[in-house]
Amino acid sequence: MSEIERESMEYDVVIVGGGPAGLSAAIRLKQIDPELNVVVLEKGSEIGAHILSGAVLDPCGLDRLIPDWREQGAPITTEVKEDHFFVLGPAGHMKIPNWPMPRFMSNHGKYIVSMGNVCRWLAEQAEGMGVEIFPGMSCSELVFEGERVVGVVAGEFGKESDGTPGPGYEPGMVLRGKYVFLAEGARGSLSKVAIAKYDLSKGHEPQKFGIGMKEIWDIDPAKHKLGTVTHTMGWPLGGNAGGGSFLYHAENNQVFIGFVVHLNYKNPHLYPYMEFQRFKQHPLVKELLEGGKRVAYGARAITEGGFQSIPKVTFPGGVLLGCSAGLVNVPRIKGNHNAMLSGIAAAEAAAEAIKAGREGDELTAYETELRNGPVGQDLKKVRNVKPMWSKWGLVASTVLGGLDMWTNDLFGFSFFGTLSHGKNDALATGKAKDYKPIDYPKPDGKISFDRLTNVAFSFTNHEESQPCHLKLTDPTVPVRVNLPEFAEPAQRYCPAGVYEVLEGEDGPRFQINFQNCVHCKTCDIKDPSQNITWTTPQGGDGPNYPNM
């Protein structure tokens, strides 16, 4: 549809994504030069609608961006009071003391927050400074001039299911910038294009991912302990996959409960969503939730590759921010602080370049600051924990990873150097014949729930007449290859029930229920044939998370 004529708007900086990275960049640009024209484009129906995070927030990024955020009324009030870590067995648990862990692993002085609400507050600050924020604006294409990115196409609406313009078709606009910041979160669609076009991953380890699923519960006030943080590892995953859980006691007698499964698991019969539901039946968790009520559900892919998997983050005319660059600290289970710091660093580099009369070049100062500044220092200390876990399992990675973090923290070196990750998560998937199917208990409808019932609590909606935004490179692969070789794992790894294999008169048929999609991007990551590409649906569609 390149022949379509679109109107154009000019900005100094175009930011794709209204999360902590994009909003921090917008605010910092305006702090440096209030005359800069800055726009933030957000595909969710509002800022925060697509934000899903644990979250225990390290405020170091916010301290640097808005030092008086407490006085400004930021929705960050629940300081961590208790910090627990357990290894679970099928019916019991063992508490791991905090003292053997390096200082930076402590959650004291951090805050339990809804990052959706934090981003809504950041958006208010940005708009008050003159940043233009357009929610409900999916960015469907990068715009190039030669080798340079000069903008994005945003706001295209009204296509028919076959991709042709419908009667209410709106072609969208080209928003052009001297620099384009991609802050789309993990596995962003435009970031994926930029990484491939400019070969940004060359010389770096493949990115690794996890799938994070989260519920918010209103619980019995007698069981609620405001400011309590609990993390677990072990059961029910055992040796089937890496991962763990969190339980955060937030305001209003709510508990944020989440479960993460590392996507490099081998057994294609593994069902991450049902592992989450089974986890809630553990006595430690069930007792907390009994008598309570689940009020929200969502899921999101998480970058887990760490320091060695950060791609080159600059390209002609643009940069990668936050989880688009893969800045999550896996052992700390935190990435929002690094996302904010990356936005600040990119803003400072772009403002300096624009002041010098430059545009469309590579912001090499940002690359240097990201790798050598506080973000790089944060991630370099923990760079071996994830590959240790993948190679040697939970026990060895806990012991050796702890030792490695201590030597990095105290002396700035590792006995192990920098370990590699090996295969990407799709290629890690084993053949179905080599693994036993896993028998999962049926959800009880009180503590554990079936997938489609839970998806209703993500408040997801998609206009059904539009084209399916989940693209198959070869439509025959799911039944021809993935079903016989891998038992078609899309039926299980998707946390929203998007993919089904249906039996018909002519044999099995692969069905995509894109209306259920919560935009987690797991399919784009884990499909063993790497046959699925996640693209943006029209703006405003997808989940509508309340306070995730």
Side-chain angles (χ1 to χ4, degrees), residues 150-476:
V150 296
V152 297
V153 174
E156 190 173 22
F157 287 89
K159 285 185 178 179
E160 300 287 355
S161 59
D162 62 0
T164 59
Y169 177 70
E170 299 176 22
M173 300 185 68
V174 174
L175 291 96
R176 298 173 60 93
K178 295 174 181 175
Y179 296 99
V180 176
F181 290 4
L182 300 181
E184 302 171 288
R187 200 66 165 201
S189 53
L190 299 187
S191 303
K192 185 180 174 183
V193 170
I195 290 169
K197 177 177 175 60
Y198 297 108
D199 201 12
L200 301 181
S201 291
K202 183 179 180 180
H204 305 280
E205 287 290 306
Q207 187 58 262
K208 307 295 285 184
F209 295 90
I211 173 63
M213 298 153 286
K214 177 180 176 181
E215 295 173 357
I216 300 178
W217 281 68
D218 291 337
I219 67 167
D220 182 348
K223 300 177 182 179
H224 189 262
K225 297 180 180 179
L226 185 68
T228 296
V229 164
T230 300
H231 293 107
T232 79
M233 293 193 300
W235 189 89
L237 291 173
N240 284 323
S245 81
F246 61 82
L247 294 113
Y248 301 154
H249 290 244
E251 303 100 292
N252 303 316
N253 295 315
Q254 288 193 328
V255 167
F256 301 160
I257 177 171
F259 197 79
V260 176
V261 178
H262 300 171
L263 287 176
N264 62 348
Y265 63 83
K266 296 178 181 179
N267 186 344
H269 301 293
L270 188 82
Y271 195 160
Y273 175 83
M274 290 306 299
E275 296 285 351
F276 177 29
Q277 298 307 304
R278 182 159 63 169
F279 158 75
K280 291 187 295 176
Q281 296 291 350
H282 191 279
L284 183 74
V285 184
K286 186 176 182 179
E287 190 278 331
L288 178 69
L289 300 181
E290 281 182 326
K293 180 174 67 173
R294 161 215 48 183
V295 295
Y297 166 75
R300 189 72 177 89
I302 304 165
T303 56
E304 295 186 338
F307 185 79
Q308 55 268 59
S309 296
I310 301 173
K312 182 182 178 184
V313 293
T314 66
F315 49 88
V319 299
L320 305 174
L321 303 183
C323 284
S324 289
L327 305 183
V328 171
N329 184 315
V330 173
R332 296 185 68 200
I333 320 178
K334 292 175 180 60
N336 291 302
H337 64 299
N338 285 337
M340 298 181 76
L341 290 168
S342 74
I344 293 168
E348 291 173 348
E352 181 180 0
I354 292 169
K355 183 179 179 180
R358 292 159 43 203
E359 64 176 274
D361 59 344
E362 293 200 33
L363 295 172
T364 55
Y366 167 57
E367 180 94 35
T368 300
E369 170 62 18
L370 190 75
R371 294 188 185 278
N372 299 329
V375 175
Q377 293 166 15
D378 182 60
L379 295 178
K380 195 170 184 180
K381 293 177 183 178
V382 303
R383 66 190 182 278
N384 289 325
V385 174
K386 167 65 175 174
M388 282 178 176
W389 198 337
S390 300
K391 295 173 188 291
W392 303 326
L394 173 60
V395 176
S397 67
T398 300
V399 176
L400 296 178
L403 171 65
D404 194 56
M405 287 190 292
W406 267 113
T407 60
N408 274 287
D409 189 37
L410 294 176
F411 309 115
F413 79 92
S414 168
F415 291 111
F416 301 93
T418 298
L419 298 176
S420 66
H421 289 301
K423 300 175 182 177
N424 68 34
D425 293 329
L427 297 178
T429 311
K431 299 294 180 69
K433 64 181 177 59
D434 297 327
Y435 296 89
K436 293 182 179 180
I438 301 172
D439 184 23
Y440 290 99
K442 184 178 180 181
D444 61 17
K446 297 177 181 178
I447 300 296
S448 54
F449 309 99
D450 70 82
R451 192 165 46 175
L452 293 183
T453 297
N454 233 0
V455 169
F457 285 80
S458 70
F459 313 104
T460 294
N461 183 62
H462 290 87
E463 170 55 54
E464 296 190 12
S465 65
Q466 67 184 302
C468 176
H469 62 279
L470 303 160
K471 311 295 185 184
L472 301 180
T473 304
D474 182 345
T476 71

